[in-house]
Amino acid sequence: MTSKLREKIKERDNYTCQNCNLSINDEPNLLLEIDHIIPISKGGMSSEDNLQTLCWKCNRSKGAKIAS
């Protein structure tokens, strides 16, 4: 995944965690990460429709699971 694609996903998601809705407007130093909705280990791809922005806490708790 390229840094350009990472930035595109964050911008698309308005720099907001798609799980808890925390954004950089709420917490300016918030660490946002790009998550595979369907993990690569479960056959997911690094395509825009399978990527989402999550804060680091939500991404760690999700791990390699598929969100419901």
Side-chain angles (χ1 to χ4, degrees):
M1 184 183 332
T2 64
S3 58
K4 186 175 181 178
L5 179 57
R6 289 178 201 277
E7 190 59 29
K8 185 175 185 177
I9 300 303
K10 288 180 188 178
E11 189 174 301
R12 178 200 69 194
D13 292 344
N14 201 29
Y15 298 92
T16 302
C17 177
Q18 299 303 291
N19 185 49
C20 72
N21 294 315
L22 194 60
S23 79
I24 59 170
N25 294 325
D26 304 315
E27 192 176 315
N29 294 320
L30 179 65
L31 178 60
L32 293 172
E33 301 176 342
I34 303 304
D35 171 65
H36 289 84
I37 298 166
I38 299 173
I40 290 175
S41 64
K42 302 213 182 332
M45 304 289 287
S46 292
S47 56
E48 288 184 38
D49 62 334
N50 189 46
L51 298 172
Q52 65 181 344
T53 304
L54 292 181
C55 70
W56 71 273
K57 286 182 182 179
C58 289
N59 199 20
R60 295 304 177 284
S61 67
K62 179 180 176 273
K65 297 181 290 243
I66 297 174
S68 53

